[in-house]
Amino acid sequence: VKVTYVAADGTRTEVDAPPGSNVMQTALDNDVDGIVGECGGAMMCATCHCYVDEDWSDATGARRDGEDDMLDCAADEVRPNSRLSCQIRLTEGLDGLVVHLPEEQV
Ligand code: FES
């Protein structure tokens, strides 16, 4: 499953992830700057905040229960396409996914 991370400065990093992984873990595994993932994906931090590219908002679906509350703690601006990247599971249907990273995570 290919995922492209677009940093706040526009730098694009494309990586290959095993299906079943999530967008936060994939960033960490590939040393992508801009995702911290402090809580390890337990929805307890908001340092994995990302903005789903508008072309992918339907495919990634709505926020999961609890994401809204945690996003209130995000360091950067929360937008309609804000997600906790640890809650986006990479299925084959998300091959080619593009996410944008906020300037700040903490
Ligand atoms: Fe902590 Fe996603 S890694 S909420």
Side-chain angles (χ1 to χ4, degrees), residues 24 37-41 43-46 48 84 86:
M24 177 279 286
E38 215 162 60
C39 76
M43 243 200 320
M44 299 286 285
C45 68
C48 64
L84 296 175
C86 65

Side-chain angles (χ1 to χ4, degrees), residues 4-14 32-33 99-101:
T4 300
Y5 297 86
V6 185
D9 68 2
T11 308
R12 298 172 77 91
T13 310
E14 186 182 290
V32 176
D33 281 341
V99 296
H100 302 263
L101 304 178

Side-chain angles (χ1 to χ4, degrees), residues 62-73:
R63 289 178 195 156
R64 296 176 55 180
D65 277 353
E67 267 191 79
D68 277 318
D69 288 344
M70 206 62 245
L71 279 168
D72 284 345
C73 305

Side-chain angles (χ1 to χ4, degrees), residues 7-27:
D9 68 2
T11 308
R12 298 172 77 91
T13 310
E14 186 182 290
V15 304
D16 240 319
S21 185
N22 65 59
V23 174
M24 177 279 286
Q25 193 59 51
T26 299

Side-chain angles (χ1 to χ4, degrees), residues 73-96:
C73 305
D76 220 319
E77 183 196 353
V78 176
R79 303 177 193 156
N81 59 341
S82 285
R83 292 290 309 268
L84 296 175
S85 60
C86 65
Q87 301 303 311
I88 306 176
R89 215 171 111 86
L90 290 166
T91 56
E92 298 288 355
L94 290 181
D95 188 34

